[in-house]
Every structure is written in C-alpha cells, then in structure tokens.
Amino acid sequence: MTTLERFFDGDQSALARIISFVENREEGYQTVLSRVYPKSGKALRIGFTGPPGAGKSSLVNNISKVLASEGKRVAVIAVDPTSPFTGGALLGDRVRLTDMPIDGSIYIRSMATRGSTGGLAAATGNVAAVLDAFGYEYILIETVGVGQIELDIVDACDSVVVVLVPESGDAIQTLKAGLMEIADVFVVNKADRPGVDNIVMELNMTLDIRREKSDWEHPVVATEAINNKNTDKLIEKVKNHVEFSKTSGRFESHRKAQIRKKIYSILAFNVNGMIREKLAHLTDVDRAVSDIYQGKSDPYTVSQELLKLSDIDLSFS
Ligand SMILES: Nc1nc2c(ncn2[C@@H]2O[C@H](COP(=O)(O)OP(=O)(O)OP(=O)(O)O)[C@@H](O)[C@H]2O)c(=O)[nH]1
Ligand SMILES: [Mg+2]
C-alpha cells in the first residue's frame, strides 16, 4: 500500500507522514494535495488569535477536551511565529498544547515559521485540508495576532475567536483594526483579574457599531481558562456563529472566497517559482542589472525582455 492509500485507510502514521510531506513542500506535494483536497471540506475550522500570553492555548486545550468528550474528532494546529521581536518574550510561562493528555481523539500539530514567514499561511491551510480529509471534525487553529500572515491564517477559518485580557482594555482603540474586523466571537480571558467588567463594557461599546451593520450579534464572553470557567459558554457562542453563518449564506460565500484566494496563491507561487528557475539560467540578468545601474535601461523594460527570453510555459505540465 502507498502512504496515500494508508492515509485514506485511516492510518495515523501515514497522516503524520503526509503532513510533513506537505509542510516541507517535498517533491510531488502538489499532486498529493490534489488527491487530498476533494475529500476535505467537512471539518469546521475555528481560529483563535490575540496578543501573546492571553490564554489562547489554555482555551484551545479546554475546548478540545469538551469537544472530544462529545465524541468529536478534534485536531489542533498551533502556529508559532518565532519572530525575532516576540520570540523571547513568548517563551515564559506559556502553556504547551503538547502537555494535553492524549487519548487518540485529539491530534496536535505545531507549525513553526523557523524565522521566515514565507508560505506559512498556505502551508497551514494545506495541513488543515489534510486533517479535514483524514476525518477530523473540528480543526482549532491557534496563532498569535501579531502580523498579516497570522491574520491571513485565521481569516481562512469559518469562525474566528479573538482572545483579549483585562489588561488589553486601554489598548482596544488602538488594537489592530484587522484583528477586530475578522473576529466573530470575543473572549476576555483571565477574568479572575481586576478590570474585566471595564474591558467587556468597552468592547461592547466598540462592537455596537459593527453589530448595527451586521445580523450577527458579536458576543463577548469572559472566561477563566486556568479554572476552566465558561468554556461551555464559549463553545456555545462559536457553535451559534457557525449556525448563523450557515443559515445566512455567509459560510458558503466565505469558503468560496477562500477557494478563490487559494487558486490565486497557487498560481502566483508556481509562476514565481518558474520565473526564478528560468532566470537563474539566464546570464542576461547580470548584464541587465549592470545596464540599469549605468542608466542604460530600466527594470520595467528589462522585465518585459526577460519574460520574452525566458520562454515561460504556463501550462503546469
Ligand atoms: N490568571 C489567569 N491566568 C491564566 C488564565 N488562562 C491562562 N492563564 C495563564 O497565562 C499564561 C499564558 O497562557 P497560554 O495559554 O500559554 O497563552 P497563549 O495565548 O497561548 O500564549 P502564546 O501562545 O505564548 O501567545 C499561562 O501561564 C496560563 O496559565 C486565566 O484565566 N487566568
Ligand atoms: Mg499559545
């Protein structure tokens, strides 16, 4: 049996192998994905984002256990941006998802950026599709809300939970607009700390404007992940959002928009690769660079010329 056949047969080790294969973009990974994708689409993807240390992992941990106890098959993808700016600060007392008791029903995978964010959103989407095709019913994706790549990752989810803490209160007005806009459910975690009521009130006030423009009443849930408090309430709100989304048609339109983005990103990635490969063999590039440097040509004219010279075939044989 091939690895792919074993994968479709439900073999866990084949799943791990396929995920690494796809994540590392090993030779032939696009063919594997084209076999996997048609079997995906049934799982719900729930994104969790928010500032470092807000309690995302703790919440995801609690939620997965509840869903697993309901008999659901749950997979967690933890996207870890090892940014030089945040890398050090993040390592303190954070909860590691791998500490979760494994009973076979919860699958945990972490995706590290290893210093470069290139292609991380695409790789995360592909790994989610693999888990989905394997039969996981819930895919919980955790990522720190620090940059555009992380926003892209959660935006590809069916529902997005933004996790804040009482200390985020003063920062609400300045919170990255993108983060606020993609959220469907808001959580104020660490509700055991002072200032919860204030931030919940402030959030509700900020959200009123958005709620007026939408049929969805963005909820704000106060949780204490450390004491497993209000986990059920949060799950209920997320499930409500999925329900709302499905009945309003937003679920389908959002998924279709994601598919459209995916097509464009595959095309851009492949065309980009092809151009680099072709140009690497053209000595004309060095000459062109000198010409532009000396003011004899310009990058736009050169690009047109190189495109003609490189004889790029866009048919993806
Ligand atoms: N007081 C209090 N602490 C909490 C609560 N939830 C989580 N913590 C603690 O906050 C710290 C960070 O929690 P994590 O779950 O790792 O937070 P995170 O958002 O996943 O962190 P990063 O992935 O590093 O961004 C840990 O020490 C948790 O035990 C809570 O409800 N109250
Ligand atoms: Mg975490």
Side-chain angles (χ1 to χ4, degrees):
M1 265 173 122
T2 64
T3 309
L4 207 51
E5 281 166 348
R6 287 194 290 115
F7 170 85
F8 286 123
D9 215 35
D11 181 335
Q12 287 280 347
S13 65
L15 167 67
R17 177 73 197 97
I18 298 273
I19 289 180
S20 303
F21 190 78
V22 162
E23 197 185 349
N24 300 327
R25 296 203 174 94
E26 287 175 42
E27 178 90 35
Y29 82 96
Q30 297 196 0
T31 312
V32 167
L33 283 171
S34 73
R35 295 274 309 278
V36 165
Y37 258 94
K39 301 264 186 225
S40 72
K42 289 189 216 66
L44 288 173
R45 293 181 195 188
I46 318 292
F48 294 81
T49 191
K56 302 175 292 295
S57 298
S58 309
L59 287 164
V60 165
N61 197 332
N62 295 344
I63 292 170
S64 357
K65 284 180 193 157
V66 172
L67 292 173
S69 75
E70 290 173 1
K72 299 289 184 210
R73 297 185 68 196
V74 185
V76 177
I77 304 177
V79 184
D80 248 333
T82 46
S83 145
F85 304 109
T86 52
L90 288 181
L91 298 174
D93 57 353
R94 64 200 309 227
V95 169
R96 290 203 315 265
L97 285 160
T98 42
D99 292 341
M100 275 204 292
I102 310 275
D103 62 359
S105 55
I106 304 170
Y107 185 92
I108 299 147
R109 183 82 188 191
S110 64
M111 314 243 328
T113 60
R114 301 180 196 102
S116 112
T117 46
L120 182 65
T124 306
N126 287 339
V127 168
V130 170
L131 290 164
D132 184 343
F134 194 74
Y136 285 101
E137 296 162 286
Y138 279 90
I139 301 173
L140 311 182
I141 303 180
E142 176 197 341
T143 184
V144 182
V146 288
Q148 186 56 45
I149 307 285
E150 289 78 26
L151 277 184
D152 288 347
I153 291 168
V154 281
D155 187 40
C157 293
D158 300 306
S159 297
V160 177
V161 179
V162 165
V163 184
L164 302 169
V165 288
E167 294 78 18
S168 317
D170 298 336
I172 289 189
Q173 300 304 330
T174 52
L175 258 184
K176 272 220 312 299
L179 193 65
M180 296 294 277
E181 264 152 37
I182 59 168
D184 302 302
V185 174
F186 286 85
V187 170
V188 178
N189 187 42
K190 308 199 182 180
D192 49 305
R193 292 189 180 171
V196 197
D197 296 341
N198 280 343
I199 182 181
V200 170
M201 200 172 69
E202 206 180 323
L203 258 175
N204 276 319
M205 268 158 56
T206 314
L207 286 170
D208 277 343
I209 309 153
R210 273 188 69 196
R211 289 170 177 151
E212 270 171 33
K213 287 188 251 164
S214 157
D215 292 335
W216 172 242
E217 186 85 4
H218 303 75
V220 179
V221 187
T223 59
E224 286 177 36
I226 208 166
N227 301 317
N228 205 359
K229 236 173 158 175
N230 266 352
T231 307
D232 289 342
K233 194 170 170 196
L234 173 55
I235 293 176
E236 184 196 312
K237 297 296 180 194
V238 171
K239 286 182 176 173
N240 286 350
H241 179 258
V242 172
E243 253 333 284
F244 159 82
S245 193
K246 285 188 171 165
T247 44
S248 66
R250 186 242 180 220
F251 189 89
E252 186 177 328
S253 62
H254 185 248
R255 280 206 171 181
K256 283 184 170 165
Q258 295 303 323
I259 294 170
R260 196 177 292 268
K261 272 193 196 168
K262 183 74 192 168
I263 296 171
Y264 281 110
S265 92
I266 293 169
L267 283 170
F269 181 82
N270 288 351
V271 170
N272 210 345
M274 241 179 274
I275 290 175
R276 279 176 195 284
E277 198 179 304
K278 291 272 185 180
L279 295 192
H281 305 298
L282 288 179
T283 47
D284 306 74
V285 181
D286 296 335
R287 190 180 37 79
V289 169
S290 295
D291 284 352
I292 298 167
Y293 180 74
Q294 289 164 23
K296 288 188 215 154
S297 188
D298 69 278
Y300 292 92
T301 308
V302 164
S303 301
Q304 289 299 322
E305 285 168 3
L306 287 175
L307 196 60
K308 275 184 214 139
L309 265 176
S310 64
D311 192 25
I312 286 168
D313 171 17
L314 294 178
S315 64
F316 306 118
S317 57

